[in-house]
Amino acid sequence: MRALVARGAGQPLAVEDVELPAPGPGEVRVRVRAAGVCHSDLSMVNGTLAAPYPLVLGHEAAGEVVEVGAGVDRVRPGAHVVLNWAPPCRRCWYCGRGEPWLCERAGSPATARGRTSAGEALHVTLGLGALAEEVVVPQEAVIGVPAELPFATAALLGCAVLTGVGAVRRTARVAPGESVAVIGLGGVGLSVVAAARAAGADPVLAVDVSPAKAALAAAAGATDFLLADDALSRAVRDRTGGRGVDHALECVGRGVTIRAAWRAARRGGQVTVVGMGARDDVVQLSALDIFHSARTLRSSVYGSSDPDRDVPELARAVLDGRLDPAALITDRTGLDGAAAAFDRMARGEGARTVVLP
Ligand SMILES: [Zn+2]
Ligand SMILES: [Zn+2]
């Protein structure tokens, strides 16, 4: 089958013929019908995260189960599923505490699976490698969704939407009438904007370095669009009675934007880091600032969500018309157009590209 393969940090991406093993006991083979291009995939190829190569990219996807291994009881062939890049073990200390997003066994950046056409050992991103025609995954990594849910929408539920909605509802717990700033308007950031608006936040200040994101922000429900520049802190205060926002959510994963989020929050406000950054990118805060500002700084891993519980709930919300992630999709392409989607994302253009293999 064909898959988008990274050969090394900074090297061009290419669609290659690769081979996956047949599903073993407890595993399923899924034909990928839609896969989003997420910023974490870019982190695997631009050197932000260390990864083994060759590596099949992609971790935000939906598809159809085509084959199941022995002992699979979770789904049958024909089932429509969303892929879960961090299936919890349900046995470790964190899972037992009801924090499956912190599962000790979930979410390793890459897993050995399959071979290239030249016989090299192949790896797949976050246990999935979903920018491909097919994946073979443990049954715990698939979540059944109604067949009437469009695949492109379903794909986004697996990462951008689950993360964005979870960050607002479960991590930050934004309440009606609270003020929110969202920094970084990629797929996740726009999903955070939409979730904040749906939670009744007002104002919802959407912030990005690119003025081209203003229209996308408005479509997602932002009340204001602000440019991320030296005047940002003042612009935020101008719209919040001089105080700063109740909640600042950072959706980039860089020290400089985490600091901007910190400065955008009011005294006693909440700063939630949603973006995943690099090991050597340091955020500097003075000891006096930490004490005096009385702010809370925390991160939101996978939206503090339990995908088995929350993905079906999000699917129902889409089908009921309470949630419309379609606005996040700015491009659709085949596998051969996926590499260009990474270039667009690196330049900060558009929101989500959905690949339809
Ligand atoms: Zn993602
Ligand atoms: Zn666990």
Side-chain angles (χ1 to χ4, degrees):
M1 64 124 192
R2 300 167 77 236
L4 185 70
V5 176
R7 284 279 168 182
Q11 291 188 33
L13 306 177
V15 176
E16 295 190 22
D17 282 316
V18 302
E19 206 175 298
L20 290 179
E27 292 182 337
V28 301
R29 185 160 66 93
V30 177
R31 182 166 297 138
V32 177
R33 299 289 297 273
V37 177
C38 175
H39 214 273
S40 305
D41 293 308
L42 184 61
S43 300
M44 305 287 277
V45 296
N46 68 5
T48 303
L49 288 180
Y53 305 103
L55 174 72
V56 179
L57 298 168
H59 64 276
E60 179 184 80
E64 195 176 346
V65 175
V66 286
E67 188 184 354
V68 301
V72 168
D73 50 13
R74 197 172 157 98
V75 284
R76 292 179 178 180
H80 289 204
V81 294
V82 168
L83 301 185
N84 175 358
W85 54 257
C89 74
R90 307 289 178 195
R91 288 187 300 276
C92 74
W93 188 85
Y94 289 100
C95 284
R97 265 180 61 87
E99 296 178 343
W101 55 93
L102 302 179
C103 175
E104 289 168 16
R105 294 185 185 91
S108 67
T111 309
R113 192 167 300 151
R115 311 224 148 252
T116 67
S117 57
E120 305 151 277
L122 187 66
H123 299 83
V124 295
T125 298
L126 288 166
L128 300 178
L131 283 166
E133 290 172 338
E134 295 187 347
V135 296
V136 173
V137 296
Q139 62 172 332
E140 291 79 16
V142 301
I143 300 166
V145 289
E148 55 268 36
L149 189 69
F151 281 115
T153 307
L156 301 191
L157 300 189
C159 191
V161 173
L162 188 66
T163 301
V165 171
V168 168
R169 288 192 198 157
R170 300 194 181 276
T171 314
R173 301 189 180 179
V174 172
E178 287 191 311
S179 53
V180 168
V182 182
I183 298 182
L185 303 176
V188 170
L190 289 166
S191 176
V192 168
V193 167
R197 199 70 180 127
D202 189 17
V204 177
L205 311 177
V207 181
D208 200 276
V209 288
S210 165
K213 292 286 174 80
L216 287 170
T223 57
D224 299 73
F225 174 80
L226 304 177
L227 266 185
D229 58 17
D230 295 342
L232 175 63
S233 181
R234 186 150 33 89
V236 170
R237 271 164 184 74
D238 283 348
R239 287 160 177 79
T240 51
R243 292 182 299 274
V245 289
D246 298 312
H247 293 277
L249 293 109
E250 195 269 359
C251 305
V252 182
R254 288 184 59 201
V256 60
T257 38
I258 292 170
R259 233 188 108 69
W262 176 264
R263 286 167 51 83
R266 65 166 170 85
R267 282 188 83 188
Q270 315 277 323
V271 181
T272 303
V273 175
V274 185
M276 181 178 57
R279 190 185 291 270
D280 57 355
D281 189 359
V282 174
V283 185
Q284 277 204 324
L285 301 170
S286 82
L288 177 62
D289 189 10
I290 290 170
F291 177 81
H292 177 76
S293 72
R295 293 174 185 129
T296 302
L297 174 63
R298 63 155 85 83
S299 79
S300 179
V301 173
Y302 215 171
S304 309
S305 295
D306 182 339
D308 286 326
R309 175 196 62 199
D310 297 337
V311 167
E313 191 181 305
L314 292 169
R316 276 193 299 276
V318 171
L319 292 174
D320 293 350
R322 286 177 285 131
L323 179 71
D324 182 15
L328 304 182
I329 302 172
T330 46
D331 295 280
R332 291 172 196 250
T333 180
L335 257 186
D336 293 314
F342 277 80
D343 295 339
R344 279 196 300 277
M345 191 163 53
R347 291 194 299 266
E349 294 172 19
R352 266 297 187 267
T353 295
V354 172
V355 173
L356 308 164

